[in-house]
Amino acid sequence: MDFAKLLNSVNSIKEEFPPVHLWDPELCEGVEMQIDREGNWFYQGSIIGRKKLKVLFSRILKLENDNYFLVTPVEKVFVKVDLAPYMIVDYEVDASKTKIILKTNLELSIPLDKEHKLELKRVGDENIPFIDVRDGIKGFLSRSVYYSLVDIAISQENDSSGELILKSFNCMFSLGDVV
């Protein structure tokens, strides 16, 4: 499989999020795709610099048995993912600080709500905040966004349970223990 063939296949897809759950093509061997911890995408060890291309690829990601794949109706390529495919790089919050919209590095905005939950997960020796983006696919919060959400949680009314709680869209999310 060559990159041009994959790109042509992706460019022919019209839907924002095509029905990748319905597609089960053969695995295309010998292709190296990776998304690193900084949200960078790589093909055969070379960084993919064009944002539009990364956005296109992000729309055809599929999570299958804890593995990520780029999927078209005719091809399936394994993607090695260091943390998560999406990185949360910004956010918007309403004036009352009760509705938070998270923004990914791949032009996707998602509400922090009951369908897009935030949870801390232990990865190595650190707790990393992840959010459900879509179809089981996760995103992780950049440090700057996480610390900004901590500031918002501190400004919200919190009880003294020893846990910092962030409220958004009538849901509560733990940002960790208050030390």
Side-chain angles (χ1 to χ4, degrees):
M1 185 216 103
D2 68 27
F3 197 67
K5 185 177 175 186
L6 178 61
L7 184 56
N8 284 338
S9 186
V10 172
N11 280 331
S12 69
I13 298 169
K14 301 295 180 214
E15 303 97 333
E16 181 180 22
F17 291 103
V20 295
H21 64 284
L22 300 176
W23 301 339
D24 194 25
E26 293 293 318
L27 182 63
C28 188
E29 301 285 344
V31 177
E32 286 185 37
M33 294 283 301
Q34 179 187 0
I35 306 169
D36 73 9
R37 189 180 176 117
E38 302 302 317
N40 297 309
W41 287 58
F42 295 85
Y43 172 76
Q44 303 292 77
S46 296
I47 195 162
I48 300 172
R50 291 182 51 207
K51 186 171 184 172
K52 182 177 179 181
L53 189 54
K54 293 183 282 190
V55 168
L56 278 172
F57 284 160
S58 75
R59 303 298 198 234
I60 60 165
L61 269 175
K62 179 179 181 181
L63 180 64
E64 194 175 274
N65 299 321
D66 295 326
N67 291 304
Y68 289 99
F69 298 91
L70 291 181
V71 181
T72 71
V74 295
E75 294 181 287
K76 179 166 134 179
V77 175
F78 174 73
V79 181
K80 180 182 182 284
V81 177
D82 290 351
L83 281 179
Y86 292 94
M87 182 177 186
I88 309 305
V89 296
D90 203 359
Y91 68 95
E92 290 179 4
V93 63
D94 67 332
S96 66
K97 295 187 179 181
T98 59
K99 295 179 180 166
I100 300 168
I101 305 291
L102 300 172
K103 297 181 177 193
T104 73
N105 59 329
L106 299 169
E107 300 181 0
L108 186 60
S109 295
I110 43 181
L112 180 57
D113 61 12
K114 66 181 178 180
E115 293 171 12
H116 305 95
K117 296 177 182 175
L118 183 145
E119 66 178 313
L120 294 176
K121 289 188 178 179
R122 193 89 177 145
V123 177
D125 61 348
E126 61 185 316
N127 287 322
I128 297 179
F130 288 90
I131 184 163
D132 294 324
V133 174
R134 63 172 183 86
D135 304 321
I137 297 174
K138 303 282 186 192
F140 65 98
L141 275 65
S142 68
R143 287 185 196 271
S144 61
V145 170
Y146 176 71
Y147 290 134
S148 294
L149 294 180
V150 166
D151 286 341
I152 292 170
I154 289 170
S155 73
Q156 294 174 337
E157 289 183 30
N158 273 293
D159 62 18
S160 59
S161 67
E163 190 174 21
L164 185 59
I165 302 296
L166 176 66
K167 298 170 190 154
S168 178
F169 289 95
N170 296 317
C171 298
M172 299 190 322
F173 305 98
S174 174
L175 295 181
D177 294 332
V178 178
V179 185

